Amino acid sequence: MKIIQDLDQYHSAKPLALSLGMFDGVHRGHFSIIDKLNQIATEKELESGILTFWPHPRKVLNPQDDVLLLNTLDEKIELLDKAGIQNLFLKTFDEAFRNLTGEEFCREILIKKLNVKHLIIGYDHTFGKNKSGNFELLQQLSKELDFQVEQLGPVDFQHQHISSTKIRTALATAHIVEANDMLGYAYSLSGMVIHGKKIGRTIGYPTANIEVPEGKILPKKGAYIVEVWLDNQFYKGMLSIGTNPTVNGEKLSTEVHILNFDGDLYDQIIRVKFREFLHDEIKFEGLEKLIEKLDDDKRLTEEFQF
């Protein structure tokens, strides 16, 4: 997959089948668009492409906005690459761009710069200054500018439309299985293993403390069953998100105990995939009660069917 950050530098012998949007989470609703894009690109001998924004427009419009996303940029690139997209356009949402009307965006960006011949948008997508661009405008312009446009309906899960917002809500309420069903894969987190307080090793449950990438959404505080991936090797793990209240901790940490693993992971990159919620964060009366709960969590993790 080619990654293009400067649209002026893009040149291709083939026109594009394109879709646009944030594609945060790259969930099952997005995959329906991607599958259609790839199909159209093959049938019409076009190249497939996604035009998205990085950083998030809200962050550009208000640098103090603490916007959290389902994907880091690297995760989004990996997911779109695996889905077969040939071109990923990463556009900065700068002052000039944000002031383009829907029609100007269509004429100047989609047609003049990118040579789009087939455009696919989601059921609720708008674009351009004051959301002046929509499916109806694209239909009006398509004949004059010689491109085709289609709008895909939503993908439903449990009688509701799948959306990035609904997935964020599921994670915030620890409905991990529901979030994963809407995503179409297990929600994951990758980060470097950093030094912590090293309390876990003193009670028989050493943990790897994961440095969470800036802007990445974490599920609700609590304990989780996770897959752990180290150098393409799979391990079962039990992960905790919280402040370690039993030992009067204050700083939020994300720590994973890896079953049947013994080694030094400091400064290595680790990936965890969330599979099931175990329980809320608990403040125990002492370490003995904490160890009893960890023993129970370990048993459930060992029994879990990955």
Side-chain angles (χ1 to χ4, degrees):
M1 182 174 71
K2 292 180 288 186
I3 300 173
I4 302 98
Q5 293 180 287
D6 184 351
L7 302 188
D8 292 327
Q9 299 302 312
Y10 172 70
H11 302 287
S12 176
K14 286 186 176 182
L16 282 174
L18 184 85
S19 187
L20 56 150
M22 274 307 299
F23 282 79
D24 186 32
V26 193
H27 53 63
R28 286 175 54 204
H30 297 138
F31 283 127
S32 71
I33 292 175
I34 292 168
D35 289 345
K36 186 68 173 179
L37 268 183
N38 289 334
Q39 176 191 336
I40 294 295
T42 299
E43 290 176 355
K44 297 188 175 184
E45 297 186 348
L46 307 174
E47 287 193 3
S48 62
I50 296 289
L51 171 61
T52 190
F53 307 102
W54 199 269
H56 194 289
R58 276 172 52 189
K59 195 70 176 175
V60 177
L61 296 172
N62 181 12
Q64 306 306 314
D65 192 334
D66 189 23
V67 59
L68 297 176
L69 300 175
L70 297 166
N71 294 141
T72 65
L73 180 56
D74 286 343
E75 289 169 347
K76 182 183 290 192
I77 289 171
E78 179 184 356
L79 287 163
L80 292 174
D81 188 25
K82 284 183 177 178
I85 292 297
Q86 294 170 288
N87 299 277
L88 176 61
F89 301 92
L90 296 174
K91 182 72 182 74
T92 301
F93 197 76
D94 54 27
E95 192 68 22
F97 192 82
R98 65 178 286 201
N99 283 310
L100 288 174
T101 65
E103 182 169 346
E104 289 170 337
F105 171 76
C106 185
R107 292 181 183 277
E108 299 300 318
I109 305 297
L110 298 184
I111 305 304
K112 186 178 291 186
K113 290 187 184 299
L114 302 183
N115 193 16
V116 172
K117 285 297 181 183
H118 199 107
L119 183 67
I120 300 176
I121 63 171
Y123 69 99
D124 59 351
H125 188 73
T126 59
F127 57 92
K129 187 175 182 180
N130 299 323
K131 298 183 178 181
S132 55
N134 53 31
F135 182 60
E136 287 69 28
L137 174 68
L138 292 169
Q139 283 183 309
Q140 294 171 18
L141 294 172
S142 62
K143 293 182 180 179
E144 175 193 346
L145 300 176
D146 189 28
F147 69 94
Q148 289 185 287
V149 58
E150 59 182 305
Q151 186 176 47
L152 297 190
V155 174
D156 286 352
F157 169 74
Q158 294 185 351
H159 310 294
Q160 63 176 347
H161 300 339
I162 292 175
S163 71
S164 300
T165 299
K166 289 187 176 72
I167 295 168
R168 293 189 193 99
T169 299
L171 293 173
T173 53
H175 289 93
I176 295 300
V177 174
E178 180 181 330
N180 290 347
D181 282 341
M182 288 190 283
L183 285 166
Y185 55 89
Y187 187 67
S188 69
L189 166 68
S190 296
M192 184 174 292
V193 177
I194 57 177
H195 290 273
K197 292 184 176 180
K198 302 178 175 64
I199 294 171
R201 66 178 61 181
T202 67
I203 58 174
Y205 283 94
T207 60
N209 196 335
I210 304 172
E211 184 176 41
V212 179
E214 183 180 357
K216 173 78 173 178
I217 290 175
L218 282 176
K220 176 186 176 182
K221 287 181 183 179
Y224 297 85
I225 295 173
V226 296
E227 297 178 28
V228 182
W229 290 89
L230 296 165
D231 297 324
N232 295 317
Q233 180 69 42
F234 163 74
Y235 299 90
K236 295 181 179 182
M238 36 202 278
L239 180 141
S240 170
I241 300 172
T243 59
N244 298 307
T246 303
V247 293
N248 299 314
E250 295 179 355
K251 185 178 179 182
L252 184 73
S253 64
T254 302
E255 305 173 47
V256 61
H257 173 70
I258 308 170
L259 275 60
N260 302 312
F261 178 85
D262 183 23
D264 184 356
L265 293 175
Y266 291 121
D267 298 327
Q268 293 189 47
I269 298 296
I270 187 174
R271 171 175 283 191
V272 296
K273 297 183 178 182
F274 292 83
R275 295 298 302 273
E276 184 63 276
F277 179 62
L278 285 167
H279 56 78
D280 288 321
E281 183 178 45
I282 304 170
K283 182 173 183 178
F284 296 95
E285 295 177 2
L287 290 179
E288 187 174 312
K289 293 292 185 182
L290 170 60
I291 293 170
E292 287 179 9
K293 191 62 174 175
L294 288 170
D295 288 342
D296 190 44
D297 289 349
K298 181 179 180 181
R299 177 184 58 79
L300 292 171
T301 302
E302 289 174 330
E303 295 174 352
F304 186 79
Q305 297 298 310
F306 284 84

Coordinates of all heavy atoms in Angstrom, one line a residue, residues 23-68:
F23 N -12.4 6.6 9.3 CA -12.2 5.1 9.4 C -11.6 4.8 10.7 O -10.7 3.9 10.8 CB -11.3 4.7 8.2 CG -12.0 4.5 6.9 CD1 -12.3 5.7 6.1 CD2 -12.4 3.3 6.5 CE1 -13.0 5.6 4.9 CE2 -13.1 3.2 5.3 CZ -13.4 4.3 4.5
D24 N -12.0 5.4 11.8 CA -11.5 5.0 13.1 C -12.0 3.7 13.6 O -13.2 3.4 13.6 CB -11.9 6.1 14.1 CG -11.2 5.9 15.5 OD1 -10.1 5.4 15.5 OD2 -11.8 6.2 16.5
G25 N -11.1 2.8 13.9 CA -11.4 1.4 14.3 C -11.4 0.5 13.1 O -11.2 -0.7 13.3
V26 N -11.6 1.0 11.9 CA -11.6 0.1 10.7 C -12.5 -1.1 11.0 O -12.1 -2.2 11.0 CB -10.3 -0.3 10.2 CG1 -10.4 -0.9 8.7 CG2 -9.3 0.9 10.1
H27 N -13.8 -0.8 11.3 CA -14.7 -1.8 11.8 C -15.5 -2.5 10.6 O -15.2 -2.2 9.4 CB -15.7 -1.2 12.8 CG -16.4 0.0 12.4 ND1 -17.3 0.0 11.3 CD2 -16.4 1.3 12.8 CE1 -17.8 1.2 11.1 NE2 -17.2 2.0 12.1
R28 N -16.5 -3.3 11.0 CA -17.2 -4.1 10.0 C -18.0 -3.2 9.0 O -18.1 -3.5 7.8 CB -18.1 -5.1 10.7 CG -17.4 -6.3 11.3 CD -18.4 -7.1 12.0 NE -19.5 -7.6 11.2 CZ -20.7 -7.9 11.7 NH1 -20.9 -7.9 13.0 NH2 -21.6 -8.3 10.9
G29 N -18.4 -2.0 9.5 CA -19.1 -1.1 8.6 C -18.1 -0.6 7.5 O -18.4 -0.4 6.3
H30 N -16.9 -0.3 8.0 CA -15.8 0.2 7.1 C -15.4 -0.9 6.1 O -15.2 -0.7 4.9 CB -14.6 0.6 7.8 CG -14.8 1.8 8.7 ND1 -14.3 1.9 10.0 CD2 -15.5 3.0 8.5 CE1 -14.7 3.1 10.5 NE2 -15.4 3.7 9.6
F31 N -15.4 -2.2 6.6 CA -15.0 -3.3 5.7 C -16.0 -3.5 4.6 O -15.6 -3.9 3.5 CB -14.8 -4.6 6.5 CG -13.5 -4.6 7.4 CD1 -13.6 -4.9 8.7 CD2 -12.3 -4.4 6.8 CE1 -12.4 -5.0 9.5 CE2 -11.1 -4.5 7.5 CZ -11.2 -4.8 8.9
S32 N -17.2 -3.2 4.8 CA -18.2 -3.3 3.7 C -17.9 -2.3 2.6 O -18.0 -2.7 1.4 CB -19.6 -3.1 4.3 OG -19.9 -1.7 4.6
I33 N -17.4 -1.1 3.0 CA -17.0 -0.1 2.0 C -15.8 -0.6 1.3 O -15.6 -0.5 0.1 CB -16.8 1.2 2.7 CG1 -18.2 1.8 3.2 CG2 -16.2 2.2 1.7 CD1 -18.1 3.1 3.9
I34 N -14.8 -1.1 2.1 CA -13.5 -1.5 1.5 C -13.7 -2.6 0.5 O -13.1 -2.7 -0.6 CB -12.5 -1.8 2.6 CG1 -12.1 -0.6 3.4 CG2 -11.3 -2.5 2.1 CD1 -11.4 -0.9 4.7
D35 N -14.5 -3.6 0.9 CA -14.8 -4.7 0.0 C -15.4 -4.3 -1.3 O -15.0 -4.8 -2.4 CB -15.7 -5.8 0.7 CG -15.0 -6.5 1.8 OD1 -13.8 -6.5 1.9 OD2 -15.8 -7.1 2.6
K36 N -16.3 -3.3 -1.2 CA -16.9 -2.8 -2.4 C -15.9 -2.0 -3.3 O -15.9 -2.1 -4.5 CB -18.1 -1.9 -2.1 CG -18.9 -1.4 -3.2 CD -19.7 -2.5 -3.9 CE -20.6 -2.0 -5.0 NZ -21.4 -3.1 -5.7
L37 N -15.1 -1.2 -2.6 CA -14.0 -0.5 -3.3 C -13.1 -1.4 -4.1 O -12.8 -1.2 -5.3 CB -13.1 0.3 -2.3 CG -13.5 1.7 -1.9 CD1 -12.4 2.2 -1.0 CD2 -13.6 2.6 -3.2
N38 N -12.7 -2.5 -3.4 CA -11.7 -3.4 -4.1 C -12.4 -4.1 -5.2 O -11.8 -4.4 -6.3 CB -11.2 -4.5 -3.1 CG -10.3 -3.9 -2.1 OD1 -9.6 -2.9 -2.3 ND2 -10.2 -4.5 -0.9
Q39 N -13.7 -4.4 -5.1 CA -14.5 -5.1 -6.2 C -14.6 -4.1 -7.4 O -14.3 -4.6 -8.5 CB -15.9 -5.4 -5.7 CG -16.8 -6.0 -6.7 CD -18.2 -6.1 -6.3 OE1 -18.5 -6.2 -5.1 NE2 -19.1 -6.1 -7.2
I40 N -14.9 -2.9 -7.1 CA -15.1 -1.9 -8.2 C -13.7 -1.7 -8.9 O -13.6 -1.6 -10.1 CB -15.6 -0.6 -7.7 CG1 -17.1 -0.8 -7.2 CG2 -15.6 0.5 -8.7 CD1 -18.1 -1.1 -8.3
A41 N -12.7 -1.5 -8.1 CA -11.3 -1.3 -8.6 C -10.9 -2.4 -9.6 O -10.3 -2.2 -10.7 CB -10.3 -1.1 -7.5
T42 N -11.2 -3.7 -9.2 CA -10.9 -4.8 -10.0 C -11.7 -4.8 -11.3 O -11.2 -5.0 -12.4 CB -11.1 -6.1 -9.3 OG1 -10.2 -6.1 -8.1 CG2 -10.7 -7.3 -10.1
E43 N -13.0 -4.6 -11.2 CA -13.9 -4.7 -12.3 C -13.6 -3.6 -13.3 O -13.7 -3.8 -14.6 CB -15.4 -4.6 -11.8 CG -15.9 -5.8 -11.1 CD -17.3 -5.6 -10.6 OE1 -17.8 -4.5 -10.7 OE2 -17.8 -6.5 -10.0
K44 N -13.3 -2.4 -12.9 CA -13.1 -1.2 -13.8 C -11.6 -0.9 -14.0 O -11.4 0.1 -14.6 CB -13.8 0.0 -13.2 CG -15.3 -0.2 -13.0 CD -16.0 1.1 -12.6 CE -17.5 0.9 -12.6 NZ -18.2 2.2 -12.3
E45 N -10.7 -1.7 -13.6 CA -9.3 -1.5 -13.7 C -8.9 -0.2 -13.2 O -8.2 0.6 -13.8 CB -8.9 -1.7 -15.2 CG -9.2 -3.1 -15.8 CD -8.7 -3.3 -17.2 OE1 -8.3 -2.2 -17.8 OE2 -8.6 -4.4 -17.6
L46 N -9.3 0.1 -12.0 CA -8.9 1.3 -11.2 C -8.0 0.9 -10.1 O -7.8 -0.3 -9.8 CB -10.2 2.0 -10.7 CG -11.3 2.3 -11.7 CD1 -12.5 2.9 -10.9 CD2 -10.8 3.3 -12.7
E47 N -7.4 1.9 -9.4 CA -6.7 1.6 -8.1 C -7.7 2.0 -7.0 O -8.4 3.0 -7.1 CB -5.4 2.4 -8.1 CG -4.3 1.8 -9.0 CD -3.0 2.4 -8.6 OE1 -2.9 3.2 -7.7 OE2 -2.0 2.1 -9.4
S48 N -7.6 1.3 -5.9 CA -8.4 1.6 -4.7 C -7.7 2.6 -3.8 O -6.4 2.6 -3.7 CB -8.7 0.3 -3.9 OG -7.6 -0.3 -3.5
G49 N -8.4 3.4 -3.2 CA -7.8 4.4 -2.3 C -8.8 4.8 -1.2 O -10.0 4.8 -1.3
I50 N -8.2 5.2 0.0 CA -8.9 5.8 1.1 C -8.3 7.2 1.4 O -7.0 7.3 1.5 CB -8.8 4.9 2.4 CG1 -9.4 3.6 2.2 CG2 -9.3 5.7 3.6 CD1 -10.9 3.6 2.1
L51 N -9.1 8.2 1.5 CA -8.7 9.5 1.9 C -9.1 9.7 3.3 O -10.3 9.7 3.6 CB -9.2 10.6 1.0 CG -9.0 12.0 1.4 CD1 -7.5 12.4 1.5 CD2 -9.7 13.0 0.5
T52 N -8.1 9.9 4.2 CA -8.5 10.1 5.6 C -7.7 11.3 6.2 O -6.8 11.8 5.5 CB -8.3 8.8 6.5 OG1 -8.8 9.0 7.8 CG2 -6.8 8.5 6.6
F53 N -7.9 11.6 7.4 CA -7.2 12.8 8.0 C -6.4 12.3 9.2 O -6.8 11.5 10.0 CB -8.3 13.8 8.5 CG -9.2 14.1 7.4 CD1 -10.5 13.6 7.4 CD2 -8.8 15.0 6.4 CE1 -11.4 13.9 6.3 CE2 -9.7 15.3 5.3 CZ -11.0 14.8 5.3
W54 N -5.2 12.9 9.3 CA -4.3 12.7 10.5 C -3.5 13.9 10.7 O -2.8 14.4 9.8 CB -3.4 11.5 10.3 CG -2.9 11.0 11.6 CD1 -1.8 11.4 12.2 CD2 -3.6 10.1 12.5 NE1 -1.7 10.7 13.4 CE2 -2.8 9.9 13.6 CE3 -4.8 9.4 12.4 CZ2 -3.1 9.1 14.7 CZ3 -5.1 8.5 13.4 CH2 -4.3 8.4 14.6
P55 N -3.5 14.5 11.9 CA -4.3 14.1 13.1 C -5.8 14.3 12.9 O -6.2 14.9 11.9 CB -3.7 14.9 14.2 CG -3.2 16.1 13.6 CD -2.7 15.7 12.2
H56 N -6.6 13.9 13.9 CA -8.0 14.0 13.8 C -8.4 15.5 13.7 O -7.7 16.4 14.4 CB -8.6 13.5 15.1 CG -10.1 13.3 15.1 ND1 -11.0 14.4 15.0 CD2 -10.9 12.2 15.0 CE1 -12.3 13.9 15.0 NE2 -12.2 12.6 14.9
P57 N -9.3 15.9 12.8 CA -9.7 17.3 12.6 C -10.0 18.0 13.9 O -9.7 19.2 14.1 CB -10.9 17.2 11.7 CG -10.7 16.0 10.9 CD -10.0 15.0 11.9
R58 N -10.6 17.3 14.9 CA -10.9 18.0 16.2 C -9.6 18.4 16.9 O -9.6 19.5 17.6 CB -11.7 17.0 17.1 CG -13.2 17.0 16.8 CD -13.9 15.9 17.6 NE -13.5 15.9 19.0 CZ -13.9 14.9 19.8 NH1 -14.5 13.9 19.4 NH2 -13.6 15.0 21.1
K59 N -8.6 17.7 16.7 CA -7.3 18.0 17.4 C -6.7 19.3 16.7 O -6.0 20.1 17.3 CB -6.3 16.9 17.3 CG -5.1 16.9 18.2 CD -5.5 16.8 19.6 CE -4.3 16.8 20.5 NZ -4.7 16.7 22.0
V60 N -6.9 19.4 15.4 CA -6.4 20.5 14.7 C -7.2 21.8 15.0 O -6.6 22.9 15.2 CB -6.4 20.3 13.1 CG1 -6.0 21.5 12.4 CG2 -5.5 19.1 12.8
L61 N -8.5 21.7 15.0 CA -9.4 22.8 15.3 C -9.2 23.3 16.8 O -9.3 24.5 17.1 CB -10.8 22.4 15.1 CG -11.2 22.1 13.6 CD1 -12.6 21.5 13.5 CD2 -11.0 23.3 12.7
N62 N -9.0 22.3 17.7 CA -8.8 22.7 19.1 C -7.7 21.8 19.7 O -7.9 20.7 20.1 CB -10.1 22.4 19.9 CG -10.0 22.8 21.3 OD1 -9.0 23.4 21.8 ND2 -11.0 22.4 22.1
P63 N -6.4 22.3 19.7 CA -5.3 21.5 20.2 C -5.5 21.0 21.6 O -4.8 20.0 22.0 CB -4.1 22.5 20.1 CG -4.5 23.5 19.0 CD -6.0 23.6 19.2
Q64 N -6.3 21.6 22.4 CA -6.5 21.2 23.8 C -7.5 20.0 23.9 O -7.7 19.5 24.9 CB -7.0 22.4 24.6 CG -6.1 23.6 24.5 CD -4.7 23.3 24.9 OE1 -4.4 22.6 25.8 NE2 -3.8 23.8 24.1
D65 N -8.2 19.7 22.7 CA -9.2 18.6 22.7 C -8.5 17.3 23.0 O -7.6 16.9 22.2 CB -9.9 18.6 21.4 CG -11.2 17.8 21.4 OD1 -11.2 16.8 22.3 OD2 -12.1 18.0 20.6
D66 N -8.9 16.6 24.0 CA -8.3 15.3 24.4 C -9.0 14.2 23.6 O -9.6 13.3 24.2 CB -8.4 15.1 25.9 CG -7.6 13.9 26.3 OD1 -6.7 13.5 25.6 OD2 -7.9 13.4 27.4
V67 N -9.0 14.3 22.3 CA -9.7 13.3 21.5 C -9.0 11.9 21.6 O -7.8 11.9 21.4 CB -9.9 13.8 20.0 CG1 -8.5 14.0 19.4 CG2 -10.7 12.7 19.2
L68 N -9.7 10.9 21.8 CA -9.2 9.5 21.9 C -9.7 8.7 20.8 O -10.9 8.8 20.4 CB -9.5 8.9 23.3 CG -8.9 9.6 24.5 CD1 -9.4 8.9 25.8 CD2 -7.4 9.5 24.5

